Amino acid sequence: MRPKVCALASTPRSGTHFLRFTLDNHPQMSWAGEFFRTDIKRNIRETRIQSYVYNGLSSTAIDQFKYVGFVWHLTFDTDLHYSAVDKFIVLERKHKLAQFTSIQIAVKTGIWRVPENKVNYKNTQKIQIDLEQYFKFLDTYNSAYNEFKKTGVEYKTVYYEDLCNDFNRTTKSIQEFLELDYFKIKRGDLQKQEHRPLKEIITNYEDIKKYDGFYKI
C-alpha cells in the first residue's frame, strides 16, 4: 500500500521542527522538512518524499510507511495544491508574544536552530518590541491560519504549549487523528533555544504586556 501524505502546517517559531522530529520517531511515519524553500539541502530520504508528494514517484525507502510528511509553512508561496495532502496537522502557539519574540531574537542572532555542537547553548540577547511590528505580525499570522482553515481540507489543530506541557496526551491524539497504531513516541531531538521568561528578554516588557491579551503572561 502506498503511504498517505501528511503536512504540518504552521508559521515560523511555532515549534514546527520539534513536532516534525517527534513524529519522525513513529515507526509508521517518515518526515521531511520544509518544501517551499530553495536554500535547504535535503538528504536522499527527504528528496524521495518530495518526489512522491509532488510527482507520485514511489520508492522502497518510503513504501514501508503508512504516512510520509513534510512541513508546510503557511506564510511561504507554493505551487503545491492542497489535494496532494491527505491530512494536515495545524500547529499554532497560544502565546503570540512569545512567538514574535522568538522570531525577533532569531533574526537578531542569525540562529534559528541551536547548533548540535553547542549542548549548553544559552541566549543572552535582549530586544525592544515595536508595537507596530507586533500588530503587523498578529495580522499576518492570524490571516494565514484563517485562510488555510477556509480551504475545507481535513486538519487537526495542535498547540505548541500543549505539546510541551502534556506531551504524551497530545502526541496520542495526533496518532488517533492519523489512524496510526499507538506508539509511545520519543520527543524530537531538538534543543530549545530560549528558557528565559519574557520579562528578562523584552526591555519594554511592562509597556508591551498589556497588548498580549490572548494569553496570560
Side-chain angles (χ1 to χ4, degrees):
M1 181 181 293
R2 290 164 65 86
K4 294 182 179 179
V5 177
C6 180
L8 177 53
S10 65
T11 53
R13 315 310 285 177
S14 299
T16 312
H17 294 291
F18 171 56
L19 180 54
R20 189 253 293 189
F21 288 136
T22 293
L23 295 177
D24 198 46
N25 288 329
H26 194 291
Q28 293 179 319
M29 302 188 79
S30 184
W31 279 78
E34 303 168 37
F35 278 1
F36 310 146
R37 289 175 55 180
T38 58
D39 60 333
I40 294 179
K41 292 184 178 180
R42 299 181 178 86
N43 59 36
I44 294 176
R45 178 174 63 99
E46 291 182 314
T47 300
R48 286 172 175 166
I49 292 175
Q50 187 175 38
S51 296
Y52 178 69
V53 173
Y54 273 88
N55 304 308
L57 300 178
S58 188
S59 73
T60 55
I62 61 175
D63 281 347
Q64 60 185 299
F65 297 101
K66 188 170 182 179
Y67 271 98
V68 292
F70 68 98
V71 174
W72 186 313
H73 268 316
L74 297 175
T75 54
F76 292 171
D77 293 331
T78 174
D79 57 355
L80 186 64
H81 195 271
Y82 292 123
S83 60
V85 177
D86 295 288
K87 289 188 177 183
F88 286 86
I89 299 168
V90 177
L91 182 62
E92 297 188 58
R93 286 184 78 154
K94 296 177 182 179
H95 202 329
K96 304 297 186 185
L97 182 57
Q99 182 180 8
F100 180 74
T101 300
S102 180
I103 292 172
Q104 297 304 302
I105 288 289
V107 169
K108 185 175 183 179
T109 63
I111 299 175
W112 291 85
R113 285 168 57 181
V114 178
E116 294 179 2
N117 60 341
K118 294 188 177 182
V119 179
N120 298 315
Y121 174 85
K122 288 185 179 180
N123 203 332
T124 59
Q125 296 284 343
K126 292 188 177 183
I127 60 168
Q128 179 170 317
I129 287 184
D130 181 285
L131 271 179
E132 185 175 345
Q133 288 184 351
Y134 181 49
F135 291 151
K136 183 178 181 180
F137 156 80
L138 291 176
D139 288 341
T140 300
Y141 281 39
N142 288 337
S143 294
Y145 283 111
N146 291 336
E147 288 302 312
F148 170 81
K149 292 174 181 179
K150 292 177 183 177
T151 60
V153 299
E154 188 174 2
Y155 70 90
K156 173 182 176 59
T157 298
V158 174
Y159 288 104
Y160 171 71
E161 290 80 3
D162 295 337
L163 184 63
C164 293
N165 299 328
D166 199 349
F167 179 82
N168 290 331
R169 185 176 65 84
T170 303
T171 53
K172 182 180 179 181
S173 70
I174 293 173
Q175 293 178 68
E176 291 172 348
F177 169 68
L178 297 177
E179 299 178 303
L180 294 170
D181 296 333
Y182 176 72
F183 181 79
K184 192 172 183 179
I185 307 179
K186 183 179 69 173
R187 289 175 179 267
D189 187 16
L190 193 66
Q191 185 178 342
K192 191 173 181 179
Q193 285 188 239
E194 191 56 75
H195 299 273
R196 296 173 294 169
L198 292 183
K199 63 183 179 181
E200 294 182 12
I201 305 172
I202 303 172
T203 57
N204 58 335
Y205 173 80
E206 293 301 325
D207 295 328
I208 203 77
K209 69 177 184 180
K210 57 188 175 184
Y211 295 99
D212 191 42
F214 185 79
Y215 190 87
K216 185 178 180 181
I217 299 178

